[in-house]
Structures are given as C-alpha cells and as structure tokens.
Amino acid sequence: MKVLFTGIQPTGLLHIGNYYGAIRNWVELQHKYKSYISIVDLHAITIAYDPEDMRKNVFDLALGLFACGINLERTILFIQSEVPGHAELTWTFNSITPLGELERMTQFKDKAGQHRKNVNVGLLDYPVLQAADILIYKGEIVPVGEDQVQHVEFTREVARRFNARYGDTFPECQAELTANPRIMGIDGSAKMSKSKGNFIGILESREEIWNKLAPAPTDPARVKRSDPGTPEKCNIYSYHQVVTPEPELTRYIAHGCRTAGIGCLDCKRKLLDNLMQVLDPIRERYHDLSGKKKEIRNILDRNAEACRKVSGQTILEVKEKMGLTPVWKV
Ligand code: TYM
C-alpha cells in the first residue's frame, strides 16, 4: 500500500475551503492508502500566536478532522511537534537546500508581505519542514489544495537532491488535488482563508452562514431579479458546483440563472440548504466528540508513538547514508 501524507495548520478554524479543497479527499483516500495526517503546529508557530490558543486549536482541529470523517482505524492523525524526527530531518535537508529556492516560494513572499515585522527564519524554512514531514514517512501521495502544489514540487526536488548526493532513499511524491482545488472566499476576490476573514466555517450555524451568504456578491449583470445571468461568472455558483448534486445544479440553478427563472437570493437559499445537509452532521459529530477528550488524547498519544517508531527508522537510515552514524558503532 502506498503511503499518503498530508498536514494542516491549527489556525483555529476549519473552513469550507479546507473541507472541499482537501479534507473531503483525505476521507476518501484513507481507504486506498496508508494514511498519515499531521496537525502541523511547528509550521503554525512561524507567525505570531498565543500559546494558550495554540493548545486549544490543536485539540479542536483533531476533533474537527474526526468529525469530518477522518477514521481512527484507517488514518494515523498526530501532532507534528510530538514527533521530533520532523525537525531533525529538516536540519539535514537545510544543508542541501539552496537559499534562493526558498526565497522564490510564493507562500513565503505572500506571508513575508503580510507579516513584515516578523519575517523569521522559520517562515523561510517552512517548505523544508514540509518536505521533511512527507519524506520521513516516505510519503508518495500528498492530497492538498492548489496553494500547496509548489511545496510538493519542492519536496520532489529535495528527494531528488538527497538521492543524488547520498544514494536512493526517498520516493518522489505527487500532489493529489480534488476536483475543486481552489475554493474562493465569500467576496470572490481571493482564495478562501482564515487570515483574510473571507471564509465560511464548517462549524458555523445556519444563521451565521446565512449572514455571510445573503450580502455576498453574485454575477454583476444581475441587477434586477428579471436580468438573466451567467452562472460561470458568479461566485455563489462556484460554491454550488462543489456542494450541490449535479442534476439539481444544471436543471435548477444554472438554467434558472441563465433564464432569470430564479433570483440570486433563492439561489443562495438553495445553496444554504444543500450546504447545511453536509455541515449539520459534521457539527453534531464535533459536539459528541467534545465530550470524549480523554479518549481523543489517548489516540493522539498512541499515534505519536507509532510515528516516532516509523520516523526513527528513516532518521537512522538518513544518518547512516550521511556519515552521521555514531562512533561507537564503528
Ligand atoms: P493549510 O493548513 O493552510 O491548509 C490545509 C489544507 O487545506 C487546503 N486549502 C484549500 N484548498 C482549496 N481552497 C482553499 N481556499 C483552501 N484553503 C486551504 C490546503 O491546500 C491544504 O491542503 N503547509 C500546509 C500544511 C502542511 C502540509 C505538510 C501539507 C505542512 N506539512 C505536508 C501537506 C504535506 C498548510 O499550511 O496547509
């Protein structure tokens, strides 16, 4: 069975961009691959944060992922900082990574722009840690949204470079995208993300979501209810494309928009209904799991232990190949 590895930052909230762009895929693929999913707290500390929030966010994310359908039997969900090999492998990869490659990374440039007062080395080194995450388990399949594809390409490059210098050790992984790898924010102007505040959270109530959907922009050509529109130009339609079942989408939504058969508000109400059919059960499972904190903590402990074993073997292999074998072994 091939190894799947992916990660997610504990930034305090899961949104439908995460869900439809990535997590939905993880839930499906866990039946096909040996799956590791990491809550990447070491990545999250590269921007300013509150330690108390971090502790809470890490745990909430574990609950949220289980609520979304990550299966305890099928997937090893674990906390990155509880497995020291990730940081150790990062250091060895640092020594084969040209600085210029990291400076050219899109996400680094974006984040360095957003956090001008805190452009720390960790922010620059972020993709190297991500490469170590994947390669320490010899991951081959990396299901992510479009924004992470460059980091997966970089990981392939790290593997190639290591293999060329020290001998065949790591596989070349590939990114696996969902049908909708880039979910736009509620105003349609940028990718949905927590930091931009343009998100719909998966645990938000029907009312909270409606308060965001109701004023959201649609096709600008539809000024009056009777104006025909072009669904492909409407951000709400792009949400229908991920949320609404196909026959309903084409028969009712797309046709209704083109012929002015339905108004934008009705279209949004229909989206809300369809979305809540998916989110309501997730929220219920999340609340059920909230009462089982001890069991969840035990699972995370067990999983971290399993990851320490597997990653420890890779570290030994890497050290051996790099000539870092302890002297007492000679
Ligand atoms: P993160 O925490 O930003 O996002 C988690 C996953 O959600 C996807 N995603 C989206 N997909 C589509 N549309 C959107 N608007 C959207 N927003 C987020 C992301 O692409 C991602 O798949 N660097 C990674 C975490 C990471 C990782 C790894 C991933 C660390 N190590 C190793 C894969 C393998 C990150 O910040 O994801």
PDB file of all heavy atoms in Angstrom, residues 8 13-26 144-147 178 180-185 191-194 198-202 239 242 275 279:
ATOM      1  N   ILE A   8      -2.063  19.884   8.144  1.00  0.00           N
ATOM      2  CA  ILE A   8      -2.964  21.040   8.237  1.00  0.00           C
ATOM      3  C   ILE A   8      -2.570  21.855   9.459  1.00  0.00           C
ATOM      4  O   ILE A   8      -2.254  21.290  10.519  1.00  0.00           O
ATOM      5  CB  ILE A   8      -4.446  20.578   8.260  1.00  0.00           C
ATOM      6  CG1 ILE A   8      -5.400  21.769   8.361  1.00  0.00           C
ATOM      7  CG2 ILE A   8      -4.719  19.574   9.377  1.00  0.00           C
ATOM      8  CD1 ILE A   8      -6.837  21.443   7.963  1.00  0.00           C
ATOM      9  N   LEU A  13      -9.621  27.204  13.100  1.00  0.00           N
ATOM     10  CA  LEU A  13     -10.928  27.092  12.468  1.00  0.00           C
ATOM     11  C   LEU A  13     -10.801  26.351  11.133  1.00  0.00           C
ATOM     12  O   LEU A  13      -9.864  26.600  10.385  1.00  0.00           O
ATOM     13  CB  LEU A  13     -11.404  28.514  12.219  1.00  0.00           C
ATOM     14  CG  LEU A  13     -12.670  28.739  11.466  1.00  0.00           C
ATOM     15  CD1 LEU A  13     -13.417  29.861  12.140  1.00  0.00           C
ATOM     16  CD2 LEU A  13     -12.369  29.126  10.043  1.00  0.00           C
ATOM     17  N   LEU A  14     -11.734  25.422  10.896  1.00  0.00           N
ATOM     18  CA  LEU A  14     -11.765  24.771   9.579  1.00  0.00           C
ATOM     19  C   LEU A  14     -12.814  25.480   8.743  1.00  0.00           C
ATOM     20  O   LEU A  14     -13.913  25.751   9.223  1.00  0.00           O
ATOM     21  CB  LEU A  14     -12.170  23.312   9.738  1.00  0.00           C
ATOM     22  CG  LEU A  14     -11.110  22.346  10.269  1.00  0.00           C
ATOM     23  CD1 LEU A  14     -11.734  20.987  10.542  1.00  0.00           C
ATOM     24  CD2 LEU A  14      -9.969  22.223   9.282  1.00  0.00           C
ATOM     25  N   HIS A  15     -12.491  25.779   7.489  1.00  0.00           N
ATOM     26  CA  HIS A  15     -13.495  26.422   6.633  1.00  0.00           C
ATOM     27  C   HIS A  15     -13.817  25.516   5.440  1.00  0.00           C
ATOM     28  O   HIS A  15     -13.153  24.487   5.240  1.00  0.00           O
ATOM     29  CB  HIS A  15     -13.026  27.815   6.215  1.00  0.00           C
ATOM     30  CG  HIS A  15     -11.657  27.875   5.605  1.00  0.00           C
ATOM     31  ND1 HIS A  15     -11.361  27.322   4.376  1.00  0.00           N
ATOM     32  CD2 HIS A  15     -10.496  28.410   6.050  1.00  0.00           C
ATOM     33  CE1 HIS A  15     -10.095  27.529   4.080  1.00  0.00           C
ATOM     34  NE2 HIS A  15      -9.529  28.181   5.095  1.00  0.00           N
ATOM     35  N   ILE A  16     -14.821  25.928   4.664  1.00  0.00           N
ATOM     36  CA  ILE A  16     -15.238  25.031   3.571  1.00  0.00           C
ATOM     37  C   ILE A  16     -14.174  24.967   2.464  1.00  0.00           C
ATOM     38  O   ILE A  16     -14.214  24.056   1.641  1.00  0.00           O
ATOM     39  CB  ILE A  16     -16.639  25.388   3.007  1.00  0.00           C
ATOM     40  CG1 ILE A  16     -16.652  26.784   2.377  1.00  0.00           C
ATOM     41  CG2 ILE A  16     -17.721  25.252   4.084  1.00  0.00           C
ATOM     42  CD1 ILE A  16     -17.918  27.031   1.535  1.00  0.00           C
ATOM     43  N   GLY A  17     -13.232  25.920   2.457  1.00  0.00           N
ATOM     44  CA  GLY A  17     -12.094  25.812   1.534  1.00  0.00           C
ATOM     45  C   GLY A  17     -11.254  24.598   1.895  1.00  0.00           C
ATOM     46  O   GLY A  17     -10.887  23.786   1.039  1.00  0.00           O
ATOM     47  N   ASN A  18     -10.941  24.445   3.190  1.00  0.00           N
ATOM     48  CA  ASN A  18     -10.203  23.260   3.652  1.00  0.00           C
ATOM     49  C   ASN A  18     -10.998  21.986   3.327  1.00  0.00           C
ATOM     50  O   ASN A  18     -10.446  21.004   2.837  1.00  0.00           O
ATOM     51  CB  ASN A  18     -10.009  23.256   5.179  1.00  0.00           C
ATOM     52  CG  ASN A  18      -9.205  24.428   5.705  1.00  0.00           C
ATOM     53  OD1 ASN A  18      -9.637  25.109   6.615  1.00  0.00           O
ATOM     54  ND2 ASN A  18      -8.039  24.672   5.132  1.00  0.00           N
ATOM     55  N   TYR A  19     -12.308  22.053   3.624  1.00  0.00           N
ATOM     56  CA  TYR A  19     -13.119  20.840   3.506  1.00  0.00           C
ATOM     57  C   TYR A  19     -13.257  20.384   2.054  1.00  0.00           C
ATOM     58  O   TYR A  19     -12.909  19.253   1.707  1.00  0.00           O
ATOM     59  CB  TYR A  19     -14.506  21.049   4.148  1.00  0.00           C
ATOM     60  CG  TYR A  19     -15.328  19.784   4.093  1.00  0.00           C
ATOM     61  CD1 TYR A  19     -15.041  18.720   4.940  1.00  0.00           C
ATOM     62  CD2 TYR A  19     -16.352  19.635   3.150  1.00  0.00           C
ATOM     63  CE1 TYR A  19     -15.756  17.536   4.863  1.00  0.00           C
ATOM     64  CE2 TYR A  19     -17.068  18.451   3.066  1.00  0.00           C
ATOM     65  CZ  TYR A  19     -16.771  17.406   3.920  1.00  0.00           C
ATOM     66  OH  TYR A  19     -17.469  16.223   3.828  1.00  0.00           O
ATOM     67  N   TYR A  20     -13.750  21.307   1.201  1.00  0.00           N
ATOM     68  CA  TYR A  20     -13.994  20.897  -0.189  1.00  0.00           C
ATOM     69  C   TYR A  20     -12.710  20.870  -1.015  1.00  0.00           C
ATOM     70  O   TYR A  20     -12.632  20.179  -2.024  1.00  0.00           O
ATOM     71  CB  TYR A  20     -15.046  21.801  -0.838  1.00  0.00           C
ATOM     72  CG  TYR A  20     -16.437  21.488  -0.338  1.00  0.00           C
ATOM     73  CD1 TYR A  20     -17.069  22.292   0.600  1.00  0.00           C
ATOM     74  CD2 TYR A  20     -17.109  20.346  -0.776  1.00  0.00           C
ATOM     75  CE1 TYR A  20     -18.334  21.993   1.079  1.00  0.00           C
ATOM     76  CE2 TYR A  20     -18.361  20.025  -0.305  1.00  0.00           C
ATOM     77  CZ  TYR A  20     -18.977  20.855   0.622  1.00  0.00           C
ATOM     78  OH  TYR A  20     -20.217  20.535   1.096  1.00  0.00           O
ATOM     79  N   GLY A  21     -11.707  21.636  -0.586  1.00  0.00           N
ATOM     80  CA  GLY A  21     -10.451  21.666  -1.344  1.00  0.00           C
ATOM     81  C   GLY A  21      -9.508  20.534  -0.978  1.00  0.00           C
ATOM     82  O   GLY A  21      -8.623  20.188  -1.760  1.00  0.00           O
ATOM     83  N   ALA A  22      -9.656  19.971   0.210  1.00  0.00           N
ATOM     84  CA  ALA A  22      -8.662  18.983   0.638  1.00  0.00           C
ATOM     85  C   ALA A  22      -9.258  17.858   1.504  1.00  0.00           C
ATOM     86  O   ALA A  22      -9.180  16.686   1.145  1.00  0.00           O
ATOM     87  CB  ALA A  22      -7.527  19.686   1.394  1.00  0.00           C
ATOM     88  N   ILE A  23      -9.884  18.201   2.634  1.00  0.00           N
ATOM     89  CA  ILE A  23     -10.247  17.175   3.635  1.00  0.00           C
ATOM     90  C   ILE A  23     -11.164  16.088   3.057  1.00  0.00           C
ATOM     91  O   ILE A  23     -11.021  14.905   3.349  1.00  0.00           O
ATOM     92  CB  ILE A  23     -10.908  17.842   4.866  1.00  0.00           C
ATOM     93  CG1 ILE A  23      -9.900  18.778   5.532  1.00  0.00           C
ATOM     94  CG2 ILE A  23     -11.408  16.810   5.857  1.00  0.00           C
ATOM     95  CD1 ILE A  23     -10.467  19.639   6.640  1.00  0.00           C
ATOM     96  N   ARG A  24     -12.095  16.542   2.197  1.00  0.00           N
ATOM     97  CA  ARG A  24     -13.007  15.588   1.573  1.00  0.00           C
ATOM     98  C   ARG A  24     -12.217  14.467   0.873  1.00  0.00           C
ATOM     99  O   ARG A  24     -12.588  13.305   0.897  1.00  0.00           O
ATOM    100  CB  ARG A  24     -13.843  16.383   0.562  1.00  0.00           C
ATOM    101  CG  ARG A  24     -14.968  15.656  -0.037  1.00  0.00           C
ATOM    102  CD  ARG A  24     -15.751  16.590  -0.896  1.00  0.00           C
ATOM    103  NE  ARG A  24     -14.928  17.375  -1.824  1.00  0.00           N
ATOM    104  CZ  ARG A  24     -15.376  17.829  -2.989  1.00  0.00           C
ATOM    105  NH1 ARG A  24     -16.612  17.595  -3.345  1.00  0.00           N
ATOM    106  NH2 ARG A  24     -14.601  18.545  -3.781  1.00  0.00           N
ATOM    107  N   ASN A  25     -11.115  14.854   0.244  1.00  0.00           N
ATOM    108  CA  ASN A  25     -10.251  13.887  -0.429  1.00  0.00           C
ATOM    109  C   ASN A  25      -9.581  12.947   0.571  1.00  0.00           C
ATOM    110  O   ASN A  25      -9.427  11.761   0.310  1.00  0.00           O
ATOM    111  CB  ASN A  25      -9.140  14.650  -1.169  1.00  0.00           C
ATOM    112  CG  ASN A  25      -9.050  14.250  -2.623  1.00  0.00           C
ATOM    113  OD1 ASN A  25      -9.864  13.459  -3.093  1.00  0.00           O
ATOM    114  ND2 ASN A  25      -8.079  14.785  -3.323  1.00  0.00           N
ATOM    115  N   TRP A  26      -9.170  13.505   1.709  1.00  0.00           N
ATOM    116  CA  TRP A  26      -8.474  12.682   2.713  1.00  0.00           C
ATOM    117  C   TRP A  26      -9.408  11.576   3.193  1.00  0.00           C
ATOM    118  O   TRP A  26      -8.981  10.446   3.416  1.00  0.00           O
ATOM    119  CB  TRP A  26      -8.021  13.522   3.918  1.00  0.00           C
ATOM    120  CG  TRP A  26      -7.192  14.730   3.564  1.00  0.00           C
ATOM    121  CD1 TRP A  26      -6.637  15.001   2.338  1.00  0.00           C
ATOM    122  CD2 TRP A  26      -6.830  15.816   4.426  1.00  0.00           C
ATOM    123  NE1 TRP A  26      -5.964  16.190   2.393  1.00  0.00           N
ATOM    124  CE2 TRP A  26      -6.061  16.720   3.656  1.00  0.00           C
ATOM    125  CE3 TRP A  26      -7.081  16.112   5.763  1.00  0.00           C
ATOM    126  CZ2 TRP A  26      -5.543  17.890   4.187  1.00  0.00           C
ATOM    127  CZ3 TRP A  26      -6.562  17.281   6.295  1.00  0.00           C
ATOM    128  CH2 TRP A  26      -5.800  18.163   5.516  1.00  0.00           C
ATOM    129  N   VAL A 144      -3.657  17.737  -1.334  1.00  0.00           N
ATOM    130  CA  VAL A 144      -3.646  19.139  -0.873  1.00  0.00           C
ATOM    131  C   VAL A 144      -4.521  19.987  -1.793  1.00  0.00           C
ATOM    132  O   VAL A 144      -4.920  19.543  -2.866  1.00  0.00           O
ATOM    133  CB  VAL A 144      -2.214  19.733  -0.911  1.00  0.00           C
ATOM    134  CG1 VAL A 144      -1.352  19.223   0.229  1.00  0.00           C
ATOM    135  CG2 VAL A 144      -1.545  19.462  -2.255  1.00  0.00           C
ATOM    136  N   GLY A 145      -4.754  21.241  -1.387  1.00  0.00           N
ATOM    137  CA  GLY A 145      -5.362  22.219  -2.275  1.00  0.00           C
ATOM    138  C   GLY A 145      -4.276  22.818  -3.169  1.00  0.00           C
ATOM    139  O   GLY A 145      -3.073  22.596  -2.950  1.00  0.00           O
ATOM    140  N   GLU A 146      -4.720  23.597  -4.142  1.00  0.00           N
ATOM    141  CA  GLU A 146      -3.792  24.114  -5.163  1.00  0.00           C
ATOM    142  C   GLU A 146      -2.648  24.950  -4.566  1.00  0.00           C
ATOM    143  O   GLU A 146      -1.524  24.921  -5.057  1.00  0.00           O
ATOM    144  CB  GLU A 146      -4.602  24.970  -6.127  1.00  0.00           C
ATOM    145  CG  GLU A 146      -3.930  25.273  -7.421  1.00  0.00           C
ATOM    146  CD  GLU A 146      -4.807  26.182  -8.250  1.00  0.00           C
ATOM    147  OE1 GLU A 146      -5.067  27.333  -7.811  1.00  0.00           O
ATOM    148  OE2 GLU A 146      -5.244  25.746  -9.305  1.00  0.00           O
ATOM    149  N   ASP A 147      -2.939  25.669  -3.478  1.00  0.00           N
ATOM    150  CA  ASP A 147      -1.918  26.559  -2.905  1.00  0.00           C
ATOM    151  C   ASP A 147      -0.683  25.809  -2.391  1.00  0.00           C
ATOM    152  O   ASP A 147       0.360  26.419  -2.173  1.00  0.00           O
ATOM    153  CB  ASP A 147      -2.528  27.416  -1.779  1.00  0.00           C
ATOM    154  CG  ASP A 147      -3.081  26.570  -0.642  1.00  0.00           C
ATOM    155  OD1 ASP A 147      -3.492  25.424  -0.893  1.00  0.00           O
ATOM    156  OD2 ASP A 147      -3.111  27.041   0.493  1.00  0.00           O
ATOM    157  N   THR A 178      -8.300  17.743  -5.346  1.00  0.00           N
ATOM    158  CA  THR A 178      -9.732  17.435  -5.503  1.00  0.00           C
ATOM    159  C   THR A 178     -10.191  18.061  -6.820  1.00  0.00           C
ATOM    160  O   THR A 178      -9.425  18.772  -7.487  1.00  0.00           O
ATOM    161  CB  THR A 178     -10.604  18.053  -4.380  1.00  0.00           C
ATOM    162  OG1 THR A 178     -10.521  19.478  -4.486  1.00  0.00           O
ATOM    163  CG2 THR A 178     -10.171  17.628  -3.015  1.00  0.00           C
ATOM    164  N   ASN A 180     -11.994  20.450  -6.997  1.00  0.00           N
ATOM    165  CA  ASN A 180     -12.085  21.896  -6.748  1.00  0.00           C
ATOM    166  C   ASN A 180     -10.955  22.329  -5.831  1.00  0.00           C
ATOM    167  O   ASN A 180     -11.170  22.593  -4.645  1.00  0.00           O
ATOM    168  CB  ASN A 180     -13.437  22.235  -6.097  1.00  0.00           C
ATOM    169  CG  ASN A 180     -14.571  21.602  -6.843  1.00  0.00           C
ATOM    170  OD1 ASN A 180     -14.965  20.480  -6.536  1.00  0.00           O
ATOM    171  ND2 ASN A 180     -15.086  22.291  -7.831  1.00  0.00           N
ATOM    172  N   PRO A 181      -9.750  22.419  -6.375  1.00  0.00           N
ATOM    173  CA  PRO A 181      -8.587  22.626  -5.502  1.00  0.00           C
ATOM    174  C   PRO A 181      -8.393  24.056  -5.022  1.00  0.00           C
ATOM    175  O   PRO A 181      -7.495  24.314  -4.225  1.00  0.00           O
ATOM    176  CB  PRO A 181      -7.417  22.199  -6.386  1.00  0.00           C
ATOM    177  CG  PRO A 181      -7.888  22.419  -7.779  1.00  0.00           C
ATOM    178  CD  PRO A 181      -9.362  22.219  -7.778  1.00  0.00           C
ATOM    179  N   ARG A 182      -9.223  24.991  -5.518  1.00  0.00           N
ATOM    180  CA  ARG A 182      -9.072  26.381  -5.076  1.00  0.00           C
ATOM    181  C   ARG A 182     -10.463  26.965  -4.832  1.00  0.00           C
ATOM    182  O   ARG A 182     -11.152  27.392  -5.764  1.00  0.00           O
ATOM    183  CB  ARG A 182      -8.347  27.164  -6.178  1.00  0.00           C
ATOM    184  CG  ARG A 182      -8.047  28.588  -5.832  1.00  0.00           C
ATOM    185  CD  ARG A 182      -7.276  29.213  -7.008  1.00  0.00           C
ATOM    186  NE  ARG A 182      -7.389  30.658  -7.011  1.00  0.00           N
ATOM    187  CZ  ARG A 182      -6.560  31.460  -6.350  1.00  0.00           C
ATOM    188  NH1 ARG A 182      -5.573  30.971  -5.668  1.00  0.00           N
ATOM    189  NH2 ARG A 182      -6.736  32.761  -6.395  1.00  0.00           N
ATOM    190  N   ILE A 183     -10.876  26.957  -3.588  1.00  0.00           N
ATOM    191  CA  ILE A 183     -12.197  27.489  -3.237  1.00  0.00           C
ATOM    192  C   ILE A 183     -12.020  28.977  -2.928  1.00  0.00           C
ATOM    193  O   ILE A 183     -11.178  29.354  -2.111  1.00  0.00           O
ATOM    194  CB  ILE A 183     -12.769  26.758  -1.986  1.00  0.00           C
ATOM    195  CG1 ILE A 183     -12.724  25.236  -2.157  1.00  0.00           C
ATOM    196  CG2 ILE A 183     -14.164  27.263  -1.654  1.00  0.00           C
ATOM    197  CD1 ILE A 183     -13.679  24.637  -3.124  1.00  0.00           C
ATOM    198  N   MET A 184     -12.822  29.787  -3.601  1.00  0.00           N
ATOM    199  CA  MET A 184     -12.674  31.231  -3.427  1.00  0.00           C
ATOM    200  C   MET A 184     -13.356  31.710  -2.138  1.00  0.00           C
ATOM    201  O   MET A 184     -14.260  31.054  -1.621  1.00  0.00           O
ATOM    202  CB  MET A 184     -13.283  31.974  -4.626  1.00  0.00           C
ATOM    203  CG  MET A 184     -12.592  31.681  -5.937  1.00  0.00           C
ATOM    204  SD  MET A 184     -10.829  32.076  -5.894  1.00  0.00           S
ATOM    205  CE  MET A 184     -10.903  33.848  -6.106  1.00  0.00           C
ATOM    206  N   GLY A 185     -12.923  32.861  -1.665  1.00  0.00           N
ATOM    207  CA  GLY A 185     -13.540  33.466  -0.484  1.00  0.00           C
ATOM    208  C   GLY A 185     -14.928  34.006  -0.805  1.00  0.00           C
ATOM    209  O   GLY A 185     -15.309  34.108  -1.972  1.00  0.00           O
ATOM    210  N   LYS A 191      -8.589  33.572  -2.702  1.00  0.00           N
ATOM    211  CA  LYS A 191      -8.786  32.226  -2.158  1.00  0.00           C
ATOM    212  C   LYS A 191      -9.356  32.315  -0.736  1.00  0.00           C
ATOM    213  O   LYS A 191      -8.978  33.206   0.018  1.00  0.00           O
ATOM    214  CB  LYS A 191      -7.398  31.569  -2.177  1.00  0.00           C
ATOM    215  CG  LYS A 191      -7.291  30.249  -1.524  1.00  0.00           C
ATOM    216  CD  LYS A 191      -5.835  29.867  -1.331  1.00  0.00           C
ATOM    217  CE  LYS A 191      -5.294  30.404  -0.030  1.00  0.00           C
ATOM    218  NZ  LYS A 191      -4.362  29.588   0.710  1.00  0.00           N
ATOM    219  N   MET A 192     -10.254  31.406  -0.385  1.00  0.00           N
ATOM    220  CA  MET A 192     -10.791  31.427   0.975  1.00  0.00           C
ATOM    221  C   MET A 192      -9.679  31.101   1.967  1.00  0.00           C
ATOM    222  O   MET A 192      -8.959  30.121   1.797  1.00  0.00           O
ATOM    223  CB  MET A 192     -11.922  30.395   1.117  1.00  0.00           C
ATOM    224  CG  MET A 192     -12.561  30.410   2.483  1.00  0.00           C
ATOM    225  SD  MET A 192     -14.008  29.317   2.636  1.00  0.00           S
ATOM    226  CE  MET A 192     -15.228  30.132   1.639  1.00  0.00           C
ATOM    227  N   SER A 193      -9.519  31.946   2.992  1.00  0.00           N
ATOM    228  CA  SER A 193      -8.525  31.625   4.020  1.00  0.00           C
ATOM    229  C   SER A 193      -8.916  32.311   5.326  1.00  0.00           C
ATOM    230  O   SER A 193      -9.596  33.342   5.322  1.00  0.00           O
ATOM    231  CB  SER A 193      -7.124  32.035   3.588  1.00  0.00           C
ATOM    232  OG  SER A 193      -6.967  33.421   3.698  1.00  0.00           O
ATOM    233  N   LYS A 194      -8.463  31.684   6.400  1.00  0.00           N
ATOM    234  CA  LYS A 194      -8.766  32.217   7.731  1.00  0.00           C
ATOM    235  C   LYS A 194      -8.208  33.631   7.852  1.00  0.00           C
ATOM    236  O   LYS A 194      -8.877  34.540   8.326  1.00  0.00           O
ATOM    237  CB  LYS A 194      -8.136  31.282   8.776  1.00  0.00           C
ATOM    238  CG  LYS A 194      -8.049  31.841  10.165  1.00  0.00           C
ATOM    239  CD  LYS A 194      -9.147  31.342  11.035  1.00  0.00           C
ATOM    240  CE  LYS A 194      -9.303  32.115  12.319  1.00  0.00           C
ATOM    241  NZ  LYS A 194      -8.111  32.129  13.177  1.00  0.00           N
ATOM    242  N   ASN A 198     -12.415  35.805   4.885  1.00  0.00           N
ATOM    243  CA  ASN A 198     -13.442  35.683   3.832  1.00  0.00           C
ATOM    244  C   ASN A 198     -14.011  34.263   3.771  1.00  0.00           C
ATOM    245  O   ASN A 198     -14.292  33.739   2.704  1.00  0.00           O
ATOM    246  CB  ASN A 198     -12.810  36.058   2.481  1.00  0.00           C
ATOM    247  CG  ASN A 198     -11.641  35.131   2.141  1.00  0.00           C
ATOM    248  OD1 ASN A 198     -11.330  34.210   2.910  1.00  0.00           O
ATOM    249  ND2 ASN A 198     -11.022  35.342   1.001  1.00  0.00           N
ATOM    250  N   PHE A 199     -14.152  33.638   4.947  1.00  0.00           N
ATOM    251  CA  PHE A 199     -14.460  32.205   4.975  1.00  0.00           C
ATOM    252  C   PHE A 199     -15.868  31.890   5.483  1.00  0.00           C
ATOM    253  O   PHE A 199     -16.507  32.711   6.139  1.00  0.00           O
ATOM    254  CB  PHE A 199     -13.445  31.499   5.886  1.00  0.00           C
ATOM    255  CG  PHE A 199     -13.456  32.051   7.287  1.00  0.00           C
ATOM    256  CD1 PHE A 199     -14.366  31.594   8.223  1.00  0.00           C
ATOM    257  CD2 PHE A 199     -12.555  33.052   7.665  1.00  0.00           C
ATOM    258  CE1 PHE A 199     -14.392  32.114   9.517  1.00  0.00           C
ATOM    259  CE2 PHE A 199     -12.583  33.571   8.954  1.00  0.00           C
ATOM    260  CZ  PHE A 199     -13.502  33.110   9.872  1.00  0.00           C
ATOM    261  N   ILE A 200     -16.293  30.661   5.180  1.00  0.00           N
ATOM    262  CA  ILE A 200     -17.466  30.064   5.835  1.00  0.00           C
ATOM    263  C   ILE A 200     -16.913  28.911   6.663  1.00  0.00           C
ATOM    264  O   ILE A 200     -16.319  27.968   6.110  1.00  0.00           O
ATOM    265  CB  ILE A 200     -18.472  29.533   4.794  1.00  0.00           C
ATOM    266  CG1 ILE A 200     -19.052  30.701   3.989  1.00  0.00           C
ATOM    267  CG2 ILE A 200     -19.575  28.726   5.467  1.00  0.00           C
ATOM    268  CD1 ILE A 200     -20.015  30.278   2.903  1.00  0.00           C
ATOM    269  N   GLY A 201     -17.055  28.990   7.974  1.00  0.00           N
ATOM    270  CA  GLY A 201     -16.507  27.948   8.868  1.00  0.00           C
ATOM    271  C   GLY A 201     -17.402  26.717   8.840  1.00  0.00           C
ATOM    272  O   GLY A 201     -18.624  26.851   8.751  1.00  0.00           O
ATOM    273  N   ILE A 202     -16.788  25.533   8.939  1.00  0.00           N
ATOM    274  CA  ILE A 202     -17.623  24.322   8.847  1.00  0.00           C
ATOM    275  C   ILE A 202     -18.461  24.093  10.109  1.00  0.00           C
ATOM    276  O   ILE A 202     -19.410  23.334  10.078  1.00  0.00           O
ATOM    277  CB  ILE A 202     -16.816  23.041   8.515  1.00  0.00           C
ATOM    278  CG1 ILE A 202     -15.832  22.717   9.631  1.00  0.00           C
ATOM    279  CG2 ILE A 202     -16.121  23.107   7.175  1.00  0.00           C
ATOM    280  CD1 ILE A 202     -15.398  21.282   9.574  1.00  0.00           C
ATOM    281  N   TYR A 239     -19.726  27.891  -5.595  1.00  0.00           N
ATOM    282  CA  TYR A 239     -19.987  27.081  -4.390  1.00  0.00           C
ATOM    283  C   TYR A 239     -20.991  25.965  -4.710  1.00  0.00           C
ATOM    284  O   TYR A 239     -20.841  24.838  -4.266  1.00  0.00           O
ATOM    285  CB  TYR A 239     -20.538  27.938  -3.240  1.00  0.00           C
ATOM    286  CG  TYR A 239     -19.550  28.948  -2.673  1.00  0.00           C
ATOM    287  CD1 TYR A 239     -20.003  30.123  -2.073  1.00  0.00           C
ATOM    288  CD2 TYR A 239     -18.175  28.732  -2.713  1.00  0.00           C
ATOM    289  CE1 TYR A 239     -19.131  31.056  -1.539  1.00  0.00           C
ATOM    290  CE2 TYR A 239     -17.289  29.657  -2.185  1.00  0.00           C
ATOM    291  CZ  TYR A 239     -17.765  30.818  -1.600  1.00  0.00           C
ATOM    292  OH  TYR A 239     -16.890  31.729  -1.071  1.00  0.00           O
ATOM    293  N   VAL A 242     -19.495  22.831  -6.010  1.00  0.00           N
ATOM    294  CA  VAL A 242     -18.880  21.857  -5.104  1.00  0.00           C
ATOM    295  C   VAL A 242     -19.889  21.241  -4.143  1.00  0.00           C
ATOM    296  O   VAL A 242     -19.677  20.145  -3.641  1.00  0.00           O
ATOM    297  CB  VAL A 242     -17.705  22.449  -4.269  1.00  0.00           C
ATOM    298  CG1 VAL A 242     -16.548  22.817  -5.142  1.00  0.00           C
ATOM    299  CG2 VAL A 242     -18.104  23.610  -3.417  1.00  0.00           C
ATOM    300  N   LEU A 275     -25.737  23.053   1.658  1.00  0.00           N
ATOM    301  CA  LEU A 275     -24.525  23.100   2.474  1.00  0.00           C
ATOM    302  C   LEU A 275     -24.806  22.562   3.883  1.00  0.00           C
ATOM    303  O   LEU A 275     -24.021  21.788   4.441  1.00  0.00           O
ATOM    304  CB  LEU A 275     -24.038  24.554   2.536  1.00  0.00           C
ATOM    305  CG  LEU A 275     -22.674  24.821   3.136  1.00  0.00           C
ATOM    306  CD1 LEU A 275     -21.580  24.045   2.402  1.00  0.00           C
ATOM    307  CD2 LEU A 275     -22.349  26.321   3.078  1.00  0.00           C
ATOM    308  N   LEU A 279     -22.938  20.096   6.501  1.00  0.00           N
ATOM    309  CA  LEU A 279     -22.297  20.633   7.712  1.00  0.00           C
ATOM    310  C   LEU A 279     -23.016  20.254   9.016  1.00  0.00           C
ATOM    311  O   LEU A 279     -22.358  20.096  10.042  1.00  0.00           O
ATOM    312  CB  LEU A 279     -22.171  22.161   7.616  1.00  0.00           C
ATOM    313  CG  LEU A 279     -21.332  22.696   6.443  1.00  0.00           C
ATOM    314  CD1 LEU A 279     -21.120  24.204   6.584  1.00  0.00           C
ATOM    315  CD2 LEU A 279     -19.986  21.990   6.324  1.00  0.00           C
TER     316      LEU A 279
END
